[in-house]
Amino acid sequence: MAIVNSERLFLLLLVVVSDMLVLSMGVYVSPLSSEKSYVSAVGDPGMKSPNVRVGLEAWNFCNEVGAEAPGMGSPRMADCADLNCYSPSADSLDITNMNGRTCRMQRRVNESDNKLKAGDEFPATSFNPYPDPDLYAVEKELYLGSLCEVHDSQDPWQFWMIMLKNGNFDKNTTLCPENGKKVSKIITGRNFPCFGKGCMNQPLIYHNYSRLFYSKMQPLFLSGKFFGTYDLDVDLSKGVGNNSYFSVSWEKNLTSGSWIFSHKLTTSQKYPWLMLYLRADATKGFNGGYHYNGRGIMKKLPVSPNFKVRLTLNVIRGGGSNSQFYLLDIGSCWKNNGKPCDGDVLTDVTRYSEMIINPATTSWCRADNLVSCPPYHVTVSGEKIYRNDTSRFPYSAYHLYCSPGNGDYLEAPYDICDPYSNPQAQELVQIIPHPEWAVHGYPEKQGDGWIGDSRTWELDVGGLSSRLYFYQDPGTEPAKRVWFSLNVGTEIYVSRNGETAEWTVSDFDVLVPQEADDNGFSFV
Ligand SMILES: *[C@@H]1O[C@H](CO)[C@@H](O)[C@H](O)[C@H]1NC(C)=O
Ligand SMILES: *[C@@H]1O[C@H](CO)[C@@H](O)[C@H](O)[C@H]1NC(C)=O
Ligand SMILES: *[C@@H]1O[C@H](CO)[C@@H](O)[C@H](O)[C@H]1NC(C)=O
Ligand SMILES: *[C@@H]1O[C@H](CO)[C@@H](O)[C@H](O)[C@H]1NC(C)=O
Ligand SMILES: *[C@@H]1O[C@H](CO)[C@@H](O)[C@H](O)[C@H]1NC(C)=O
Ligand SMILES: *[C@@H]1O[C@H](CO)[C@@H](O)[C@H](O)[C@H]1NC(C)=O
């Protein structure tokens, strides 16, 4: 006998809703769809779905788990719920429902799914219950993805992803490899924050499961929240105090129909470096910063130079001068010979580019500090300007550039990116608002898009990312720049005092050429 487990799924809430609601349940049409050749690459275009699809992942310094936080399970969670509305049948005897519709919420992930911890059997036997917390988290993400998965086309999709990362690094441990190499002892002159043993811990995460909200005259919608702290000894019910804190909640904009994701991130003395992003990740394959198969919302992968990202960002609090607020952090992976990554952490290289919009962020790349500049800049017309061409190189368009630690032919002078903060070597191109990037719809000058300047951006990310310098071995065929992860959020870099950032994201969409179906990237 099959087990009938439908009961777990239903939180029955029957409400009467006026006819005007039908509108808000309509299909979202992208404003860009007039440019017929572009289609949405995400499962929830413009965040207009009435259904909730949210995943959460927490990473230690090198994007792994290390050890689970007590009582929290493996740091992969999800909130997925469907809002099912239907018109009452014509012969309904229920008069109160005559002009309205009946809705109920169907929850897809329950508390026992979210609490699964390393070694626990999954309710579905196709997932491997690894005792190793790093391996288990990967498997749990796939399991939660299977519960949330939507099959509304031939390309299934799972969820928007919330990512949390703790920047503490204990050099006395061997939890993190060096440029992908396992080392028995970490020897480095670099300094990292760590208050002592256990500083690389995972957070306490609490969850207000999505619930149905409604009022007489307004459309109904679902809303929920994840929140928590890294300070394991804190009782949040007594207030946050001077401790670390994060929260992400989602509710509907009743005018536009978009989800509004509201974020808050606070650092503390013990946790002075924290990251919180909302990610549009690939639905399969390696996501940026991973060396394993992940889940996400991007059904089609954007490839430079032809794709766009649309989103509304409202920064409410900045997070202090070290808050590297990313109006898009884009992540990918390819080898130094230009070939796609294959999970071999010794030769795979994570490539990131980030536009930092905090106006307090200065240019480390300067005529007197070429080590922090990419070897050359590519102009809109395709001309290369070398960094030693001091009268023409746009130093103020860059925060910093650093090279992958496994590059064999790096151009001196160079700085190697942090060899420990990824499972493999990484390369970073961090840019700041500048007319050079504004041609692609990005902020033109410091302060654009910052506090008090909420905007809906239409970023030609494809165009911009095709102009960026990324290292490759001489004579190798240029890598196809396929982006697995598009993130918005902040990295509050080591800050002495507790700093707080607060922001909302809505209308998120990724647009790719229609023909991507035929000659675009195919998943590995
Ligand atoms: C939660 O969902 C899992 C997987 O469908 C199921 O096995 C389990 O019984 C559910 N638990 C509760 C408490 O509903
Ligand atoms: C690492 O080890 C050194 C030497 O034993 C010690 O002084 C230091 O406090 C340790 N650091 C942490 C974070 O435990
Ligand atoms: C959210 O969850 C927390 C902790 O589980 C609980 O204390 C709080 O009452 C919840 N809030 C709502 C609005 O349900
Ligand atoms: C937080 O830190 C400030 C400054 O150090 C201090 O004045 C305040 O009392 C602390 N608050 C709590 C709740 O510990
Ligand atoms: C809701 O959407 C409308 C229309 O796009 C917009 O003007 C408004 O600012 C949004 N409200 C919030 C709180 O995001
Ligand atoms: C500037 O850099 C390029 C490329 O590295 C090099 O070929 C050229 O000789 C340099 N020019 C000067 C004046 O140093």
Side-chain angles (χ1 to χ4, degrees):
M1 272 292 288
I3 296 162
V4 179
N5 69 349
S6 59
E7 269 179 22
R8 77 171 258 266
L9 297 170
F10 298 113
L11 179 83
L12 282 172
L13 276 173
L14 299 178
V15 287
V16 178
V17 197
S18 77
D19 269 337
M20 60 191 258
L21 295 194
V22 179
L23 271 179
S24 73
M25 303 295 159
V27 173
Y28 171 62
V29 180
S30 162
L32 275 180
S33 64
S34 55
E35 294 173 37
K36 271 201 293 287
S37 53
Y38 279 84
V39 295
S40 179
V42 299
D44 178 12
M47 299 185 146
K48 296 289 200 287
S49 171
N51 304 325
V52 178
R53 287 293 181 278
V54 184
L56 181 149
E57 60 188 358
W59 290 359
N60 74 1
F61 193 61
C62 45
N63 307 353
E64 304 282 3
V65 175
E68 295 170 357
M72 287 293 126
S74 173
R76 295 292 184 278
M77 297 185 182
D79 189 311
C80 297
D82 294 338
L83 182 58
N84 294 323
C85 296
Y86 49 93
S87 298
S89 61
D91 60 357
S92 170
L93 296 176
D94 185 350
I95 294 169
T96 57
N97 266 353
M98 283 284 274
N99 293 320
R101 302 196 315 153
T102 302
C103 296
R104 74 181 175 196
M105 185 182 79
Q106 179 180 337
R107 190 172 281 165
R108 293 200 178 208
V109 181
N110 65 28
E111 182 76 357
S112 55
D113 298 317
N114 278 325
K115 287 284 184 219
L116 288 167
K117 60 179 190 305
D120 284 352
E121 292 285 346
F122 288 96
T125 52
S126 49
F127 300 92
N128 197 332
Y130 293 106
D132 177 328
D134 292 347
L135 298 176
Y136 191 86
V138 176
E139 209 70 4
K140 186 174 175 185
E141 182 171 331
L142 301 178
Y143 169 66
L144 295 173
S146 74
L147 301 179
C148 298
E149 192 157 280
V150 179
H151 294 262
D152 54 2
S153 70
Q154 74 263 40
D155 304 311
W157 54 279
Q158 296 89 26
F159 30 54
W160 296 104
M161 185 62 99
I162 297 164
M163 192 209 86
L164 278 162
K165 179 167 171 172
N166 172 1
N168 282 345
F169 181 40
D170 182 350
K171 291 191 277 185
N172 292 354
T173 69
T174 52
L175 285 170
C176 293
E178 187 174 287
N179 288 318
K181 280 196 215 55
K182 273 277 172 206
V183 286
S184 55
K185 186 163 174 45
I186 288 175
I187 299 161
T188 175
R190 292 177 196 243
N191 287 317
F192 299 93
C194 179
F195 57 80
K197 208 166 170 336
C199 68
M200 294 173 74
N201 64 285
Q202 294 293 338
L204 302 178
I205 305 172
Y206 303 101
H207 186 175
N208 292 120
Y209 282 82
S210 287
R211 291 194 297 134
L212 198 42
F213 286 79
Y214 61 95
S215 69
K216 219 171 183 172
M217 289 309 293
Q218 288 188 319
L220 63 128
F221 64 92
L222 302 174
S223 177
K225 180 177 183 172
F226 283 113
F227 64 99
T229 178
Y230 278 91
D231 292 83
L232 299 177
D233 50 353
V234 168
D235 179 359
L236 281 184
S237 66
K238 299 200 170 82
V240 178
N242 287 336
N243 296 293
S244 63
Y245 181 77
F246 61 86
S247 69
V248 181
S249 60
W250 48 93
E251 61 182 356
K252 277 284 165 182
N253 179 329
L254 299 178
T255 313
S256 69
S258 168
W259 289 111
I260 304 171
F261 280 83
S262 301
H263 307 72
K264 194 169 177 182
L265 180 66
T266 301
T267 57
S268 67
Q269 202 176 28
K270 284 167 79 181
Y271 302 91
W273 181 7
L274 296 174
M275 289 146 254
L276 174 61
Y277 310 148
L278 185 68
R279 301 170 55 118
D281 283 341
T283 53
K284 51 185 163 179
F286 304 145
N287 290 326
Y290 285 154
H291 55 108
Y292 46 78
N293 201 12
R295 288 290 178 255
I297 201 139
M298 284 203 291
K299 309 189 286 184
K300 297 176 198 299
L301 291 183
V303 185
S304 305
N306 294 313
F307 72 97
K308 299 177 205 293
V309 172
R310 188 170 192 275
L311 63 89
T312 302
L313 172 66
N314 182 13
V315 181
I316 300 155
R317 288 175 78 179
S321 57
N322 288 347
S323 169
Q324 303 199 334
F325 202 105
Y326 301 134
L327 176 58
L328 244 45
D329 158 282
I330 59 177
S332 186
C333 191
W334 59 81
K335 294 178 188 287
N336 288 334
N337 62 10
K339 300 246 162 67
C341 289
D342 58 10
D344 173 3
V345 289
L346 294 179
T347 54
D348 285 354
V349 181
T350 312
R351 320 275 172 166
Y352 292 117
S353 173
E354 296 152 339
M355 158 71 77
I356 306 176
I357 61 166
N358 184 346
T361 306
T362 57
S363 206
W364 293 9
C365 162
R366 290 183 310 268
D368 63 0
N369 191 41
L370 296 186
V371 71
S372 294
C373 304
Y376 57 80
H377 172 77
V378 181
T379 66
V380 184
S381 60
E383 189 195 352
K384 284 181 188 172
I385 302 177
Y386 285 90
R387 59 186 168 182
N388 58 5
D389 188 347
T390 52
S391 62
R392 297 178 64 224
F393 190 94
Y395 300 102
S396 56
Y398 293 89
H399 172 54
L400 72 80
Y401 165 80
C402 60
S403 305
N406 60 356
D408 288 335
Y409 307 92
L410 301 175
E411 242 175 274
Y414 57 80
D415 252 353
I416 298 292
C417 300
D418 176 5
Y420 306 107
S421 63
N422 263 256
Q424 57 222 21
Q426 60 170 333
E427 181 176 24
L428 274 173
V429 188
Q430 296 188 317
I431 58 177
I432 50 186
H434 195 277
E436 276 295 306
W437 314 126
V439 294
H440 300 292
Y442 278 76
E444 179 175 2
K445 56 181 194 306
Q446 300 265 308
D448 285 357
W450 196 237
I451 301 162
D453 188 25
S454 164
R455 292 195 205 179
T456 299
W457 298 92
E458 213 154 277
L459 306 172
D460 173 17
V461 187
L464 186 148
S465 58
S466 67
R467 286 174 55 203
L468 299 173
Y469 170 87
F470 283 104
Y471 170 79
Q472 258 188 247
D473 295 338
T476 56
E477 200 176 320
K480 189 167 181 177
R481 298 186 178 181
V482 183
W483 302 96
F484 297 85
S485 185
L486 307 175
N487 313 314
V488 56
T490 195
E491 163 165 9
I492 304 185
Y493 190 65
V494 187
S495 301
R496 195 177 303 256
N497 301 311
E499 297 282 4
T500 295
E502 216 176 325
W503 68 99
T504 69
V505 174
S506 42
D507 307 314
F508 203 147
D509 206 352
V510 180
L511 298 141
V512 295
Q514 187 133 39
E515 60 268 25
D517 270 347
D518 311 319
N519 59 10
F521 182 79
S522 54
F523 286 108
V524 285

